[in-house]
């Protein structure tokens, strides 16, 4: 529901950014207008609004000190009933949690086996803290951009244009496309392998069947059908995960959980960071929660804490049932070992893997097809197949060219996509917004530490990226 501005009782407290010239977004005709950066520094007073809980009704607002009031940027109103519909923090938490839990969880045991559970748990917690900070930075920039636009629904493109200019928008678009195509390739490759093992059909048939089935649901299905399919898959994920934990924990070697090889731990950072991606829904949170950063912060912290617990349990159960893995890189995928060694665990692992891929695949198909339609000015929606063809065909072809591409694609997406778009970019946008003379930041920073924190966020992402580039170059030299 598009937010509408209501009549509110206001008191002046923050400087309001001056009006800026507005130009259409170069990427999407449907996204809010993008602010072109100007050098004017004329300032007016931004009005902090104390909105009554009776927003949308014809009643006089209470006094500013009334306990019935709460601070927000605007009110979400139902256009039909004209009633205030504030966003639910609980729903926001589950939105973050559902977005975070995806197929990346399947690769965590494989990339952490050499480090052992204890060392990988430390890395997992550090990655969680890092991704929480970057998500809060995205929220901070998003709300400040909403202050300038005067409405919700601010896209990442609008944020990049306002803070980093045209170059920032282009880099954001390239990173977005890279992440989505890399992950779609990984999903098709992994799902086709599962279908082939289950049905005994060739890989090309499995990959085509998976792409057509789930792509067809996205293309032909209504929102209700897609929601029902996704709900069924999520219920299956929870059931299969619970079953896997119960069955596999019977063979758990508790001493294996204390194994640690910290020297091997950093190599798991790209995929673990990829597993904590949720920042693409932060603009949605900011709009649904009416720009209330306190609620947004609660949703981000709590919503990512749930996947953190899930990842730790998953990694502990898998590595704990396979002792003496720390310091050894001989096992390519612990899930494959469990599937082949335990007749009960195998089908459960396959079901969990397929369902986790399915939920992620649907979301990425819908997101990328809409993005391509906006980016290339193509027709979108049902009976407009071109965006879906451009979304489904390249990953299908690439997955067939290299059936073993699952881990490679996840590693590349985590290193060169996620750490750029959701690591370097949030810090760069926040730095520009906080310390540039050209921009206003009416909302106080919600991430403390100033330039030091922003430098650590940027430096951490760049360090991992540079080290991965160096590793890839060494591997290429070793091939010749």
């Amino acid at each position: 529901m598009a937010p509408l501005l209501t009549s509110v009782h206001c008191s002046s407290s923050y400087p309001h950014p001056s009006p800026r010239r507005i130009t259409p977004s170069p990427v999407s005709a449907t996204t809010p207008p993008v602010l072109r950066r100007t050098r004017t520094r004329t300032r007016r007073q931004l009005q902090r609004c104390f909105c009554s809980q009776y927003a949308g009704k014809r009643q006089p607002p209470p006094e500013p000190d009334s306990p019935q009031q709460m601070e927000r940027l605007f009110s979400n109103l139902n256009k039909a009933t004209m009633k205030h519909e504030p966003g639910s923090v609980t729903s926001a938490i589950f939105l973050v949690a559902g977005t975070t839990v995806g197929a990346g969880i399947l690769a965590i045991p494989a990339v952490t086996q050499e480090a052992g559970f204890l060392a990988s748990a430390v890395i997992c917690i550090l990655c969680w803290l890092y991704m929480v900070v970057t998500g809060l930075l995205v929220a901070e920039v998003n709300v400040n951009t909403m202050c300038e636009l005067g409405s919700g629904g601010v896209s990442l493109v609008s944020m990049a244009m306002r803070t980093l200019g045209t170059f920032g928008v282009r880099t954001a678009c390239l990173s977005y496309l890279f992440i989505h195509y890399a992950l779609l390739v990984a999903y098709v490759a992994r799902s086709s392998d599962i279908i082939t093992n289950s049905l005994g059909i060739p890989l090309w048939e499995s990959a085509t069947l998976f792409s057509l089935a789930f792509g067809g649901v996205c293309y032909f299905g209504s929102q209700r059908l897609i929601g029902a399919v996704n709900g069924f898959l999520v219920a299956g994920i929870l059931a299969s995960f619970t079953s896997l934990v119960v069955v596999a924990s019977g063979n758990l070697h508790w001493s294996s959980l204390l194994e640690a090889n910290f020297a091997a731990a950093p190599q798991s950072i790209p995929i673990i960071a990829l597993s904590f991606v949720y920042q693409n829904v932060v603009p949605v949170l900011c709009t649904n929660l009416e720009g209330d950063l306190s609620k947004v912060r609660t949703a981000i912290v709590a919503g990512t804490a749930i996947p953190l617990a899930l990842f730790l349990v998953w990694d502990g159960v898998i590595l704990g049932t396979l002792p003496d893995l720390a310091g050894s890189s001989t096992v390519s995928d612990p899930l494959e070992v469990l599937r082949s060694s335990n007749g009960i665990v195998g089908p459960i692992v396959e079901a969990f893997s397929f369902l986790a891929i399915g939920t992620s695949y649907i979301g990425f198909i819908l997101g990328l097809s809409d993005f391509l339609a906006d980016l290339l000015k193509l027709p979108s929606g049902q009976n407009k197949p071109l965006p879906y063809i451009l979304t489904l065909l390249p990953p299908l072809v690439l997955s067939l060219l290299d059936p073993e591409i699952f881990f490679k694609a996840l590693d590349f997406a985590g290193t060169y996509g996620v750490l750029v778009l959701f690591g370097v970019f949030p810090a760069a946008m926040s730095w520009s917004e906080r310390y540039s003379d050209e921009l206003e930041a009416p909302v106080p920073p919600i991430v403390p530490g100033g330039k030091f924190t922003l430098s650590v966020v940027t430096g951490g992402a760049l360090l991992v990226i540079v080290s991965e580039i160096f590793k890839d170059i060494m591997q290429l030299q070793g091939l010749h």
Side-chain angles (χ1 to χ4, degrees):
M1 182 65 64
L4 300 177
L5 294 177
T6 63
S7 298
V8 293
H9 183 77
C10 304
S11 63
S12 299
S13 58
Y14 286 128
H16 182 68
S18 58
R20 286 176 167 78
R21 185 168 46 182
I22 296 179
T23 59
S25 167
V27 174
S28 173
T30 61
T31 56
V34 179
L35 295 175
R36 179 175 294 175
R37 301 181 66 179
T38 64
R39 293 190 177 275
T40 177
R41 298 191 64 186
T42 305
R43 298 189 180 186
R44 295 187 290 112
Q45 289 295 309
L46 173 67
Q47 295 177 330
R48 171 187 278 180
C49 297
F50 296 90
C51 301
S52 167
Q53 66 176 354
Y54 300 106
K57 298 183 180 180
R58 295 183 177 275
Q59 297 185 15
E63 295 299 321
D65 295 332
S66 169
Q68 295 177 340
Q69 294 176 340
M70 61 181 179
E71 297 179 20
R72 60 179 180 267
L73 294 179
F74 56 89
S75 294
N76 290 321
L77 297 184
N78 187 310
K79 291 182 179 180
T81 63
M82 294 304 294
K83 291 184 178 180
H84 179 213
E85 296 183 348
S88 167
V89 176
T90 301
S91 297
I93 290 173
F94 284 117
L95 175 61
V96 173
T99 303
T100 307
V101 177
I105 191 176
L106 304 178
I108 289 181
V111 298
T112 60
Q113 58 175 317
E114 188 175 353
F117 174 75
L118 185 60
S120 61
V122 173
I123 294 296
C124 199
I125 293 173
L126 291 177
C127 286
W128 170 71
L129 290 172
Y130 181 91
M131 299 300 271
V132 166
V133 169
T134 60
L136 293 176
L137 290 175
V138 172
E140 179 184 313
V141 177
N142 187 268
V143 172
N144 279 321
T145 306
M146 284 199 293
C147 287
E148 296 207 15
L149 292 176
S151 67
V154 174
S155 67
L156 181 64
V157 173
S158 299
M159 297 161 57
M161 176 62 78
R162 171 177 169 265
T163 55
L164 302 176
T166 304
F167 175 78
V169 172
R170 291 174 178 172
T171 305
C173 290
L174 290 175
S175 300
Y176 183 93
L177 290 172
F178 181 82
I179 292 172
H180 279 65
Y181 273 120
L183 290 180
L184 286 175
V185 170
Y187 296 162
V188 174
R190 181 64 172 172
S191 62
S192 61
D193 182 58
I194 294 174
I195 296 174
T196 294
N197 291 333
S198 301
L199 303 181
I201 60 178
L203 277 175
W204 71 268
E205 291 185 11
S206 300
T208 304
L209 178 62
F210 176 82
S211 300
L212 290 178
F214 282 87
V217 169
C218 295
Y219 178 67
F220 294 105
S222 63
Q223 290 297 324
R224 177 174 296 183
L225 175 62
I226 295 174
V229 171
N230 199 54
F232 173 79
L233 295 175
V234 171
I237 288 174
L238 296 176
S240 58
F241 179 81
T242 303
S243 301
L244 179 63
V245 171
V246 171
V247 173
S249 60
N251 298 322
L252 188 66
H253 298 80
W254 294 98
S255 59
S256 299
L257 301 182
L258 301 178
E259 295 180 359
N261 178 17
F262 285 94
Q267 67 184 14
S268 63
I269 290 177
I271 288 183
I272 293 180
L274 173 67
S275 301
F276 278 107
V277 168
Y278 66 94
Q279 290 87 339
N280 54 325
V281 300
V282 170
V284 178
L285 297 181
C286 294
T287 299
N288 292 347
L289 298 177
E290 302 174 328
D292 189 327
L293 284 176
S294 176
K295 293 182 178 179
V296 173
R297 179 170 52 241
T298 299
I300 288 176
V301 175
T304 53
I306 296 173
L308 172 64
L310 192 67
F311 293 165
L312 292 176
V313 172
W314 168 260
D315 199 37
V317 168
I318 301 300
L319 298 185
T321 55
L322 300 172
D324 303 323
L325 284 179
S328 172
S329 58
T330 57
V331 181
S332 59
D333 187 357
L335 292 181
E336 293 292 332
V337 177
L338 280 180
R339 185 176 63 180
S340 60
S341 63
N342 191 315
I344 300 178
V345 171
I348 299 176
V349 169
E350 295 283 66
F352 176 80
S353 302
F354 186 80
L355 294 171
I357 290 172
T359 56
S360 299
Y361 190 78
I362 288 176
F364 274 74
I365 288 296
L366 295 173
L368 184 57
S369 60
D370 286 343
F371 184 85
L372 288 174
D374 288 337
L375 180 64
L376 303 177
K377 308 303 180 185
L378 299 174
S380 60
Q382 289 187 345
N383 301 321
K384 305 295 183 182
L386 188 55
Y388 284 89
I389 293 175
L390 294 176
T391 300
L392 295 171
L393 188 58
L396 174 60
V397 173
L398 289 175
S399 66
L400 292 177
L401 292 176
D402 186 1
E404 304 296 327
I405 203 172
F406 178 71
F407 292 108
K408 299 176 187 176
L410 291 182
D411 189 48
F412 270 77
T415 302
Y416 305 113
V418 169
L419 289 177
V420 171
L421 188 60
F422 300 129
V424 176
F425 249 73
M429 289 191 297
S430 183
W431 187 293
S432 176
E433 184 176 73
R434 293 184 186 184
Y435 305 113
S436 173
D437 292 336
E438 304 174 12
L439 297 175
E440 307 286 352
V443 175
I446 60 174
V447 177
K451 293 182 178 180
F452 175 77
T453 299
L454 299 181
S455 298
V456 170
V457 171
T458 305
L462 292 177
L463 179 63
V464 175
I465 292 171
V466 171
S467 63
E468 288 295 309
I469 292 175
F470 179 77
K471 185 184 73 173
D472 292 338
I473 293 175
M474 296 300 294
Q475 289 179 347
L476 289 175
Q477 291 180 344
L479 295 177
H480 296 288

